[in-house]
Every structure is written in C-alpha cells, then in structure tokens.
Amino acid sequence: MQEITGGVAAPIGFTAAGIHCGVKNKNPEKKDVALIYSEVPCAAAAVYTKNRVKAAPIWVTMENLSDGKAQAVICNSGNANACAPGGTENAKTMCKAAARTLNIPESDVVVASTGVIGQPLNIGVIEAGIPALVSALSKDGSDAAARAIMTTDLMKKEIAVRFNLDGKTVTMGGIAKGSGMIHPNMGTMLCFITTDAAVEPVYLRKLLLAAAERTFNRVSVDGDTSTNDMCAVLTNGLAGNTVIAAEGKDSEAFLDALVHVCRYLARCMAEDGEGATHLVTAKVGGASDNETAAALSMAVVSSSLVKAAMFGADANWGRVLCAMGYSGADFRPEATDVYFRSKSGEILVCSAGTGISFDEAEAKRILSEKEIIIDIRLSEGGGTGEAWGCDLTYDYVRINGDYRT
Amino acid sequence: MQEITGGVAAPIGFTAAGIHCGVKNKNPEKKDVALIYSEVPCAAAAVYTKNRVKAAPIWVTMENLSDGKAQAVICNSGNANACAPGGTENAKTMCKAAARTLNIPESDVVVASTGVIGQPLNIGVIEAGIPALVSALSKDGSDAAARAIMTTDLMKKEIAVRFNLDGKTVTMGGIAKGSGMIHPNMGTMLCFITTDAAVEPVYLRKLLLAAAERTFNRVSVDGDTSTNDMCAVLTNGLAGNTVIAAEGKDSEAFLDALVHVCRYLARCMAEDGEGATHLVTAKVGGASDNETAAALSMAVVSSSLVKAAMFGADANWGRVLCAMGYSGADFRPEATDVYFRSKSGEILVCSAGTGISFDEAEAKRILSEKEIIIDIRLSEGGGTGEAWGCDLTYDYVRINGDYRT
C-alpha cells in the first residue's frame, strides 16, 4: 500500500470541488460547500452518529442510502441543519438541487452538514451556488472539498492510498473534518471515502463498521458526541476487481486500506482537536482481551484531568490509573506499569500500580513533544488496544466559550 | 428544619479539630489534618468511590466500618495515599495513632486522605501531630476541620441543621471537600456527617445511599471519578430518639435532613468546582420517569461543550439538546423545550426541539449571573430530576495543567 496525492478525487472516475456559497456569511474567503461526484453509480454505505438528536441530513442520507447506492456527496459547513426550522426540507432541497445539476437521481445523493445547531440553514445560497460547484468539479478538487467541510479545524484532513486487489490497482481516498465534539460513535466528525474498488454494499457496510470501531470510535476530543456526523464510503468499481462480497484475501486487503485511511483521518482529528497542542495516544498491552484494552485506552484519552496534565507536560500518572479505574473495564491496578514516551525518550513512572521515583526533568522533556504516547502494560493476557486524544487547553475553552457568537 | 452553625461539632457529644501537621509542607499556614470525635461510640456507615483503583484509606475504612461502628474520623489533605508505597500500612498507622491518643479501639476510626496520587505519605508528621490535634478538639473545631480537608477548594463546605424527631431535638452537621475530579459515585469528594440521632447502622447505610443518589451522584465537575472518596455518617444517639431501623415517619424526617445536608454540600462542590465561575443546575421535568430525568440532567451538566458555553454566557442550547441526545436516556427531541433562567430572568431558547428567535442580549444578561438554571421541559410523563455542575474555564485548565508540580 502506497500513499498518494489526490484525496477523494484520486480513485478512477471521481471528481471533487469546494466553493464559498455564503453559508459562512461572515467570511467570503472560506469555502463552505463541498461536492464529491462519481461518473458512474456507486455501491455505498455509511455509519452515523448514535446521538438520539440527529440532524436532518442524517435522516435524509439514511433514507437515500437504504438501497446501498449513491453517486454524489454534498456537504456544507457553517450550519449543522440540526434542530433547525425546515431542516428536512432543506436537506432534501440540497440533494434535489445537486441531483438536478448533476443529472442523477435525487436519492443517489449523500447529504451532510456541520456547524452551529438550531439556526435555519440558508438554503438559498446553497441552491444558487450549485451550478458553480458542479462546474468546479475536477480531479484536483479534493483539496477544496476538504477545506469546504472544515469548521474550527485548523488543518485539512485528506489522504489517498493505492494498493493491489485481485491483480488490479485500486485507489482509495478520504477527507474528514473533526475538531470539537469528537468522541466515539461519530462525535462531530464527517468523513467521506471514495474508492474505485468494487464492493457489495451490504458487505461494504460491515467492513466500514469494523474499520470505524478500530479508528473513529477510538478518538476523543471532549467526550461530546454530535448530532450530525457520519462516515460514508462510495465504491464505483472502475478499478475492475471482482466484487468483494465476503471474507477472503480481497476483503482483507480492502479492509487494511480502509483502516489505514480511517486511522490516518482519526489521528488527524485528535491532533487537530479544538485548542489541542498535543496528540496523545494511549496504548494498552497485556489486557485480558482487545475490548478491555480499548475501554481502558479510551478512558485515559477521555479524562479531562489526564488531558489537562498533558497540556502542562505534567507526568501525573496517578490520573492515568484513576481513569482506568473508572473505565468499567477489568484489570489489576497492582499489576499495571505506565510509561510516557515521545521522540525525546521513554520513562517508567508507575511500576506495579505504585509510584516510583523518576527524573521529573526528563519526564517533562518527554511530555513537551507534540506527540505523546501513554504506554500502559498489564499482565492479564494478550489484549491490545489504542486510542487517540489531545490535551485540554486554554484555547479549547476560548473556542467553545464563544463559538456561536 | 433549621440551619445552625457549628458544622460537624454541632450535634451533642461531637468535637472537631484541624491543624497543620506538615503533609502540605509547602505552606505551613495550611491546615492538613482533620479530626472528628464523638465522646461515645457511634453507629456509622459510608459510601465509597466506585473507582477500581481505590486508595489505601478506603480499604482500611471499609474494614473498620464492617461492624457498623466508629467513634472518630481522621483525614489528611495534600496526599491521597493512593498508588503509593506503604499505603495500607500508613493508613492503618493513622488510625492506630489517633485511636491510641483518643483511647478508643483502632477499628473505630474512619480514615481518609485527599491530594496527589502516587507519592509516599509523610506519615511521620501526621503521627507527630496527633497529640496536638486531639488537644485541639472542641465544639468550635468544625471550621478548622472543614479547612483541613480542602485541596484546591476555594471555600470551606460546612453545614448544620436542627430538626425534630420522635419528640426530640436532633442535630446533624456535615463538612465536605470537592473541587476537581468530581463526578457521580463519589468522584474526589470527601464528606463527613455527624448527628446525635440514633440510627441502626445497616439501615443508616441504606438511607445514606438514597441521599447520595439524589445529591452527590448528581454533581459533575469534570467527569473524572477519584480513587479516594467517601461519604461517612456517624450517629451517636445522644439526642435520645428511638433508634431508627425501618421506614416510617422518623426515617423520613431523618432522610429529609440528610438530603438537605448532602444537597447543600453537593451544590457547594459544583459551585466551587475547579476554576468555576458559574454554578449550573440542569432541571428536567416531564420525563417518563425520575431515572430518565436524572440521566438527562447529568448529561447536560457533564458536557464540556455546555460547560464552555456557560463560561462564555453563550445561549448555545443546541449543545444542551446534543448532550441529552447522547445520554442514552429516552426522550423525544421534538417535544423538548429549553429555558435559561437566573435571577436576571428567564428566556425560552428552544421550543419543540427547534430553535426559535430570541433576544440574544437578554439571554447573555441571564447567563452572566453566577447561578444559572437550564430548565428542560419534556412531555413524556411526570419524571423530574436535577443535577449540578459548573462551567469549564481557563482556570480549570491552569489548575489541572500544573497541579502536581
């Protein structure tokens, strides 16, 4: 597998675009509507937020994808179209307007929104902008699309990979947005993945769920899960592989690529968490099983106290143990070792569940790097897991103390 | 029921003290060991942290209270004696030293610690300080005891009430510490309650659990639950009431007082949350049942995004609905109204799950008060509940980014 450029427009038959339509009316420089298009219909699948309060575009996309088919994705930023008057109608209008200009069925459009909740979507500017958006579609358009779905994100999240499948060269691309309200089960994240592989849609959803469980569901920025979020995959089959419909060598290769793409985008979300200055990875080894390791690692990256300690480069491992303790997962504190690691080195700070004396200056140096690994070693079995988060900073408070106004 | 002064030393037969022994060695002005004593043995009960990682004093107290009997409480701040070398031995030494000087059985001492995790407790300074601590016991000592258990708390948490029971005048007092790591199931909180009522110890524990469920388990500061925390009640029976051992008029009056004391202390913890500038109460009415209302209100006060919005006096009710949505509790978003209220007024911001236009300046004025109520009205049934939290501020990050060093 090889990383390449081109993002969601890298696979054969896909193009993308992102322009300013006026949803983010405060800043005409900012792109606010993205479009991804396949020249042929795709088998498609998505996973959605588990929040009981779901934004209108989520419901509309669920309906549109119920036949496992899609050909385009339209997404605006700046307004979540959640708990907003006329939400469903506006989401449908976005599909209709895109479909009409692209000359495809309205039900083959995936629609998504992200931004502030509860305010009416300015659907007029989106409708008016669609002809320009469709005209802008190109093989170079992924960058613009990736930027058009950003809210408080500081960096664009985009990747593409090339790999072999069934003797064919297959390409997969992805873009995502994250930032705040990131937590398992699709907390404010949007992710759109395209590929020219051929996959049967019901099986595709199964593979997507497996990939999300190991990647997006292991990211926490602030413990809040959002109303809007989804990860959708469109597979147009133009690479010419035999359709993947069951477990086997091909599905494994496809899943590997999907996990690679999702893992990269998930880590980007953690790294670009609102206000974040550190990417924090919690790794757990020696757990009784992988599920336990996942629960423990998620509790550690989700703890406000661990996150604040990481901000302060403070080797406060007691908070790591404490978070593991309330995770609900089974482990023996008295058989737990904790290391902090970064490119500056590694230091053991807790052995057999008890504090040991260590060089505080060295720990501080290690924790001052941008990327920190909290490495937790248990003695229960062979279960491993990792989760990604970020530190809790003054900027997180600043951004979220006045996001709407 | 009438609020009086005197705290834990208000009930007949109780005295208290708090002095500086040297655990908080950085600041000799700060009291760091508290003692509460009853001149006669008490029926006693406690509830403890559910964190799997429990500090040594928790285990020792559990053992000491297994007979439902206690006569003194000793507690230090500045060091949690959790995940620390020699923890159990040191916790037992605290009991032994206090018991010896008080001339009571070692197993009748409740021991607690709070502070940093993972560092050896300086038991020597506590042992050396105990004679002075016992000498300091007095009817005026509750204030000093309440101060001696504070860590990052800014205000002392103390209350006493007087009420009638079985024709007798009964007094109940309580002190508590809170601040960070506050979340249901006894997240870093310590609470000691004394009363001269007579209650059978097994039934006392049942009443304490019921009171905690409605008070301490409805407070969230940061979602972290700690290794150390407990709420213990000592009842010495000197008021002369008939021993309460089953449901009835007396148990109701006693539970009312206990809830009053616990509720006051729980609210103080939220108000004094680390870095907090607002006390935020989420009230839910019209839920299908009380359990649902409790889960919804807890999700709202626990949300980092709601908390950051409250810091910014931002009427971002979308985050309130969003938090309700991921609470796991059952409700219909489309039948949800949200009001913000404070002593400056009340404003409806979301009607039937949808944003309505409202006066932003008025909302800002309402949310700028120190005490904010988020009033959520559902249409499912008669379930009600409330939970207390605080805003997420720059100071929370500052305090926890560098607590240990």
Side-chain angles (χ1 to χ4, degrees):
Chain A
M1 186 165 16
Q2 174 198 358
E3 290 196 11
I4 59 168
T5 58
V8 285
I12 304 169
F14 282 96
T15 49
I19 65 169
H20 175 79
C21 287
V23 186
K24 287 176 178 166
N25 57 9
K26 281 181 194 162
N27 187 347
E29 296 291 300
K30 283 200 170 171
K31 296 176 168 50
D32 54 18
V33 185
L35 185 66
I36 303 168
Y37 171 67
S38 167
E39 61 188 46
V40 295
C42 301
V47 291
Y48 307 96
T49 180
K50 290 189 179 150
N51 198 305
R52 196 171 181 91
V53 181
K54 288 180 176 58
I58 295 284
W59 297 113
V60 173
T61 296
M62 282 178 169
E63 195 182 317
N64 287 355
L65 282 186
S66 58
D67 62 355
K69 213 159 72 52
Q71 195 166 352
V73 176
I74 186 164
C75 175
N76 75 278
S77 57
N79 185 309
N81 192 17
C83 311
T88 306
E89 200 186 320
N90 287 340
K92 286 187 173 171
T93 300
M94 273 174 76
C95 294
K96 203 175 301 179
R100 191 168 48 226
T101 312
L102 291 167
N103 196 27
I104 61 172
E106 182 187 338
S107 65
D108 284 354
V109 180
V110 167
V111 59
S113 297
T114 177
V116 70
I117 301 176
Q119 291 179 4
L121 180 65
N122 187 345
I123 186 69
V125 298
I126 298 178
E127 275 193 279
I130 280 178
L133 186 63
V134 171
S135 300
L137 281 171
S138 85
K139 291 301 281 180
D140 298 325
S142 179
D143 176 86
R147 290 181 196 282
I149 63 173
M150 286 163 65
T151 54
T152 51
D153 305 63
L154 295 178
M155 58 182 211
K156 135 189 115 148
K157 296 162 187 69
E158 184 188 37
I159 186 178
V161 295
R162 189 152 283 164
F163 58 105
N164 289 309
L165 194 69
D166 181 29
K168 312 287 187 206
T169 297
V170 167
T171 305
M172 183 183 289
I175 61 173
K177 64 96 29 188
S179 229
M181 229 192 246
I182 298 284
H183 206 63
N185 308 320
M186 309 288 110
T188 298
M189 55 151 287
L190 292 174
C191 177
F192 305 116
I193 297 170
T194 58
T195 176
D196 45 28
V199 189
E200 188 278 325
V202 173
Y203 191 65
L204 177 63
R205 186 168 152 79
K206 202 177 147 187
L207 293 172
L208 179 60
L209 282 169
E213 177 53 34
R214 288 155 61 180
T215 57
F216 298 122
N217 285 353
R218 300 286 179 81
V219 178
S220 179
V221 166
D222 55 16
D224 281 60
T225 63
S226 142
T227 50
N228 277 65
D229 303 330
M230 73 166 81
C231 175
V233 188
L234 274 67
T235 67
N236 70 11
L238 293 179
N241 66 298
T242 310
V243 178
I244 299 169
E247 219 166 309
K249 219 169 105 281
D250 290 357
S251 79
E252 263 174 44
F254 182 84
L255 182 58
D256 276 355
L258 192 59
V259 167
H260 185 91
V261 164
C262 293
R263 188 174 186 274
Y264 173 83
L265 296 170
R267 280 172 59 99
C268 285
M269 285 175 201
E271 188 178 346
D272 195 22
E274 279 173 344
T277 63
H278 293 284
L279 166 62
V280 180
T281 303
K283 275 180 187 287
V284 174
S288 49
D289 52 43
N290 290 346
E291 201 180 19
T292 300
L296 291 169
S297 59
M298 270 307 296
V300 171
V301 296
S302 304
S303 156
S304 291
L305 288 168
V306 171
K307 290 154 63 74
M310 292 299 102
F311 175 56
D314 179 7
N316 200 327
W317 58 268
R319 294 179 179 169
V320 173
L321 240 71
C322 180
M324 294 167 67
Y326 63 70
S327 68
D330 192 35
F331 75 108
R332 285 176 304 146
E334 69 277 15
T336 301
D337 292 349
V338 179
Y339 295 78
F340 290 119
R341 189 163 69 242
S342 74
K343 67 178 188 188
S344 283
E346 179 179 90
I347 191 164
L348 176 67
V349 289
C350 164
S351 174
T354 301
I356 55 168
S357 93
F358 58 87
D359 182 341
E360 291 275 354
E362 194 194 339
K364 195 114 197 156
R365 203 163 50 243
I366 288 169
L367 294 177
S368 296
E369 296 293 342
K370 183 159 173 43
E371 195 172 337
I372 308 296
I373 294 162
I374 303 174
D375 191 349
I376 297 153
R377 303 184 195 164
L378 309 176
S379 318
E380 323 286 327
T384 61
E386 58 184 342
W388 303 281
C390 59
D391 53 340
L392 174 63
T393 68
Y394 296 124
D395 268 2
Y396 177 86
V397 177
R398 186 186 53 72
I399 293 164
N400 288 298
D402 200 22
Y403 172 71
R404 207 179 49 102
T405 47
Chain B
M1 186 165 17
Q2 173 201 357
E3 290 195 14
I4 58 166
T5 57
V8 285
I12 305 169
F14 283 96
T15 49
I19 65 168
H20 175 79
C21 286
V23 186
K24 288 175 177 165
N25 55 10
K26 282 180 193 159
N27 187 346
E29 295 293 298
K30 284 199 171 172
K31 294 177 170 49
D32 53 19
V33 185
L35 184 66
I36 302 169
Y37 171 67
S38 167
E39 61 188 46
V40 295
C42 301
V47 290
Y48 307 97
T49 181
K50 289 191 180 149
N51 197 308
R52 198 172 179 86
V53 181
K54 288 180 177 59
I58 296 285
W59 297 113
V60 173
T61 295
M62 283 178 167
E63 196 183 318
N64 287 354
L65 283 185
S66 58
D67 61 355
K69 212 160 72 50
Q71 194 166 352
V73 176
I74 186 163
C75 175
N76 74 279
S77 57
N79 185 309
N81 193 17
C83 310
T88 306
E89 200 188 319
N90 286 341
K92 287 188 173 169
T93 300
M94 275 174 76
C95 294
K96 203 175 302 182
R100 192 172 43 227
T101 312
L102 291 166
N103 197 26
I104 62 173
E106 181 187 337
S107 63
D108 284 355
V109 180
V110 167
V111 59
S113 297
T114 178
V116 70
I117 301 177
Q119 292 179 0
L121 179 64
N122 188 346
I123 186 68
V125 297
I126 299 179
E127 276 194 278
I130 281 178
L133 187 63
V134 171
S135 300
L137 283 171
S138 85
K139 292 302 282 181
D140 297 326
S142 180
D143 177 87
R147 292 181 194 282
I149 64 173
M150 286 163 65
T151 54
T152 52
D153 306 61
L154 296 178
M155 56 182 212
K156 128 187 121 149
K157 297 164 187 68
E158 183 188 37
I159 186 177
V161 295
R162 188 152 284 166
F163 58 106
N164 289 311
L165 195 72
D166 180 28
K168 312 289 187 204
T169 297
V170 167
T171 305
M172 184 184 289
I175 60 173
K177 62 98 29 186
S179 229
M181 229 192 245
I182 296 284
H183 204 64
N185 308 322
M186 311 286 112
T188 297
M189 54 149 288
L190 292 174
C191 177
F192 306 116
I193 298 171
T194 57
T195 176
D196 45 28
V199 189
E200 187 278 324
V202 173
Y203 191 65
L204 176 64
R205 186 168 151 82
K206 203 177 148 186
L207 294 171
L208 178 60
L209 282 168
E213 177 54 35
R214 288 156 63 182
T215 57
F216 298 122
N217 286 353
R218 299 288 179 79
V219 178
S220 179
V221 166
D222 56 16
D224 282 61
T225 61
S226 142
T227 49
N228 277 64
D229 303 332
M230 72 165 83
C231 176
V233 188
L234 274 67
T235 66
N236 69 13
L238 293 179
N241 66 299
T242 310
V243 179
I244 300 169
E247 220 166 309
K249 218 169 106 281
D250 290 356
S251 80
E252 264 175 42
F254 182 84
L255 182 59
D256 276 356
L258 193 58
V259 167
H260 184 91
V261 165
C262 293
R263 188 173 185 275
Y264 172 83
L265 295 171
R267 281 171 59 99
C268 286
M269 284 178 204
E271 187 179 346
D272 193 23
E274 280 174 344
T277 63
H278 293 284
L279 166 62
V280 180
T281 303
K283 275 180 186 290
V284 174
S288 48
D289 52 44
N290 291 347
E291 200 180 19
T292 300
L296 291 169
S297 59
M298 268 308 294
V300 171
V301 296
S302 304
S303 157
S304 290
L305 288 167
V306 170
K307 289 153 64 73
M310 292 300 102
F311 174 56
D314 179 7
N316 200 328
W317 59 268
R319 295 180 179 169
V320 173
L321 241 71
C322 181
M324 293 167 67
Y326 64 71
S327 68
D330 193 35
F331 75 107
R332 286 177 303 145
E334 69 277 14
T336 303
D337 292 350
V338 180
Y339 295 79
F340 290 118
R341 187 161 72 243
S342 73
K343 67 178 188 187
S344 283
E346 178 179 90
I347 191 163
L348 177 67
V349 290
C350 164
S351 174
T354 301
I356 56 167
S357 93
F358 59 88
D359 182 339
E360 291 274 355
E362 195 195 340
K364 195 112 197 156
R365 203 163 48 243
I366 288 169
L367 294 177
S368 297
E369 296 292 344
K370 181 155 174 47
E371 194 172 337
I372 308 295
I373 294 161
I374 303 174
D375 191 349
I376 298 154
R377 303 185 195 166
L378 309 175
S379 317
E380 322 286 326
T384 61
E386 59 183 340
W388 303 281
C390 60
D391 53 340
L392 174 63
T393 68
Y394 297 124
D395 268 1
Y396 177 84
V397 177
R398 186 186 53 73
I399 293 164
N400 288 298
D402 200 22
Y403 172 70
R404 209 180 46 102
T405 48

